[in-house]
Amino acid sequence: MQGVTLTDIAEDEDVAARTGATVYVCVTCRRPGDSEDTPRPGLALARATAKAAEGTGVSVCQVECLANCSRSLSAAMRCDGAWTYVFGGLSPERDAAALIEGARLLARAEDGLLPWRGRPEVLKRGLIARVPPTDFANGNSKEETE
Amino acid sequence: MQGVTLTDIAEDEDVAARTGATVYVCVTCRRPGDSEDTPRPGLALARATAKAAEGTGVSVCQVECLANCSRSLSAAMRCDGAWTYVFGGLSPERDAAALIEGARLLARAEDGLLPWRGRPEVLKRGLIARVPPTDFANGNSKEETE
């Protein structure tokens, strides 16, 4: 639609319907010492994140393994045309809202990069990796952090 | 095309033209103690990987930061319809061919998962994280490792 920028679109309520903003939460990881029948903290985080996503338009998917086992709990987020981010060291009691806030920031980011300033603290210290979008060409990135 | 499976397609030479198999190499990271004017080992890895990709159909992109700085050197790989993988602890002298071999394995993987068996060793011990493809729905994954 002529004259409508990404920023305008993202200011609407339903971000995900336009941008595919999705948070993936690993439901497999356990904490050291947890027995087999202890409820998985990753599942608790996934459920809390799904609840935090209600009404935001962000999708939440449960994943069986993000292969970040040594630095769990783990989650990732993506958005059409944006970079994909992986986070670790998450807490099921504390970090669901931060994941959804991060996904909404990513959906609004005109350059496709999750902004450092204003990013929830756990998405700074828990950053594991980021990967460019599919239309990435050499050189159109900038280093992580401020 | 009726009767043509992903495996058939991937056995052709030009994998990337059909699948978008791409390796992203971080060119920013330095080793501890490297001076500002030391050539970046990430750049050497990117160049070696591009050379290893010649004739394979795999694309190689230089990226300024994959945010895996504490476990560098870093690279990622993706492919249409497949999971995205991030690797660390790579060596510019040793690992270019392994990255291309991994990308080709990923392009041939019918389930979109980089197979554990037959995967180059550095892509096992250097695995940092993996993220589902965009069409991922809850539950259609399996845990990493054999």
Side-chain angles (χ1 to χ4, degrees):
Chain A
M1 205 181 340
Q2 206 176 11
V4 174
T5 68
L6 184 59
T7 307
D8 295 329
I9 289 170
E11 279 168 6
D12 289 350
E13 271 194 21
D14 192 351
V15 170
R18 295 188 171 91
T19 63
T22 305
V23 176
Y24 304 95
V25 183
C26 177
V27 298
T28 302
C29 289
R30 289 181 298 197
R31 292 182 177 124
D34 278 356
S35 68
E36 271 291 343
D37 55 357
T38 304
R40 303 271 171 139
L43 183 58
L45 177 61
R47 287 175 175 160
T49 305
K51 191 166 172 58
E54 284 172 8
T56 66
V58 176
S59 300
V60 178
C61 278
Q62 297 183 9
V63 184
E64 282 169 36
C65 183
L66 291 170
N68 179 49
C69 316
S70 65
R71 300 200 281 182
S72 66
L73 304 182
S74 307
M77 63 181 63
R78 64 161 302 281
C79 197
D80 293 345
W83 288 59
T84 294
Y85 290 79
V86 182
F87 303 97
L90 302 170
S91 157
E93 296 82 18
R94 187 194 61 198
D95 297 328
L99 288 172
I100 298 305
E101 174 61 16
R104 299 182 77 186
L105 283 171
L106 187 61
R108 285 196 294 269
E110 289 189 62
D111 60 1
L113 290 159
L114 187 61
W116 191 260
R117 290 180 195 201
R119 184 192 303 192
E121 282 301 313
V122 71
L123 305 188
K124 294 180 180 176
R125 66 173 183 272
L127 180 62
I128 298 294
R130 63 176 200 176
V131 180
T134 53
D135 62 352
F136 177 81
N138 284 344
N140 65 351
S141 60
K142 59 187 179 188
E143 288 187 50
E144 187 67 16
T145 77
E146 289 176 292
Chain B
M1 205 180 341
Q2 207 176 8
V4 175
T5 68
L6 184 59
T7 307
D8 295 328
I9 289 169
E11 279 167 6
D12 291 349
E13 270 195 19
D14 193 352
V15 171
R18 294 188 171 91
T19 64
T22 305
V23 176
Y24 304 95
V25 183
C26 176
V27 298
T28 303
C29 289
R30 287 181 299 198
R31 292 183 178 123
D34 279 356
S35 69
E36 271 290 343
D37 55 359
T38 303
R40 304 271 170 140
L43 183 57
L45 177 61
R47 287 175 175 160
T49 306
K51 192 165 172 58
E54 285 173 9
T56 66
V58 176
S59 299
V60 178
C61 278
Q62 298 183 9
V63 183
E64 282 169 35
C65 184
L66 291 170
N68 179 48
C69 315
S70 65
R71 301 200 280 181
S72 66
L73 304 182
S74 306
M77 63 180 63
R78 65 162 301 281
C79 195
D80 293 345
W83 288 59
T84 295
Y85 290 78
V86 182
F87 303 97
L90 301 171
S91 156
E93 296 82 19
R94 187 193 60 198
D95 296 329
L99 288 170
I100 298 306
E101 174 60 17
R104 299 182 76 187
L105 283 171
L106 187 61
R108 285 196 294 268
E110 289 189 60
D111 60 1
L113 291 159
L114 187 61
W116 190 261
R117 291 180 194 202
R119 184 192 303 192
E121 282 300 314
V122 71
L123 305 188
K124 294 180 181 178
R125 67 174 183 272
L127 181 62
I128 299 294
R130 63 177 200 176
V131 180
T134 54
D135 62 352
F136 177 81
N138 284 344
N140 66 350
S141 61
K142 59 186 180 188
E143 289 187 50
E144 187 66 17
T145 77
E146 289 177 291

